[in-house]
Amino acid sequence: MAARNAITLVQKSKASAPEFLQLRCHITPGASKVREGVAAVTDECIEICVSAQPQDGKSNKAVLELLSEVLDVPKSDLQITHGMKNRDKTISIASACFRRGKNVDASEDIISLVRQKLLSQETS
């Protein structure tokens, strides 16, 4: 089985359909406040620790708030598309939010920009 990339850019077949990024994440809920944040960025997934408990969607909300802050995008542009009740999640982000006000054109540039932002916030 082929390994999946942690960050992929998905382009729809229609030219009018927007493209979006997919982040494959592994979440550790109930972590201490000290460990909260991006724990690691590997080729296969992004490991994230949140202090919120996995009850009533609290940890999902915390993950979206954390990624919104780290990537500097509005929370409304983030959506959990897979894994609402699982630690392994796929989170989609509209790629247009990375192109606003920035000179980013190529898909590789968007992926490297997101990876760089995540790595800069990595906790040791």
Side-chain angles (χ1 to χ4, degrees):
M1 186 164 93
R4 302 175 101 181
N5 291 333
I7 305 169
T8 55
L9 185 68
V10 178
Q11 298 175 329
K12 299 287 186 177
S13 57
K14 294 182 182 179
S16 62
E19 60 186 12
F20 58 92
L21 282 171
Q22 283 189 332
L23 306 179
R24 287 184 179 75
C25 304
H26 180 77
I27 311 303
T28 305
S32 68
K33 287 275 190 189
V34 176
R35 290 185 50 219
E36 195 169 45
V38 178
V41 179
T42 64
D43 290 337
E44 292 82 29
C45 75
I46 301 161
E47 296 178 21
I48 299 174
C49 295
V50 292
S51 60
Q53 296 298 317
Q55 298 168 346
D56 302 323
K58 291 177 187 173
S59 63
N60 288 339
K61 185 177 178 182
V63 167
L64 295 179
E65 288 175 1
L66 180 94
L67 284 174
S68 172
E69 186 178 311
V70 168
L71 298 175
D72 194 30
V73 296
K75 285 187 284 189
S76 59
D77 286 344
L78 298 168
Q79 180 180 10
I80 298 175
T81 53
H82 293 93
M84 288 295 289
K85 295 185 177 185
N86 196 334
R87 289 182 182 215
D88 294 319
K89 301 184 184 305
T90 301
I91 299 171
S92 297
I93 308 170
S95 66
C97 65
F98 293 106
R99 297 184 195 272
R100 288 184 213 134
K102 298 176 181 88
N103 192 13
V104 179
D105 291 324
S107 60
E108 295 85 19
D109 292 342
I110 292 175
I111 292 171
S112 64
L113 174 70
V114 170
R115 183 176 290 276
Q116 182 181 27
K117 285 184 175 187
L118 290 167
L119 287 171
S120 69
Q121 296 296 317
E122 204 171 287
T123 58
S124 337

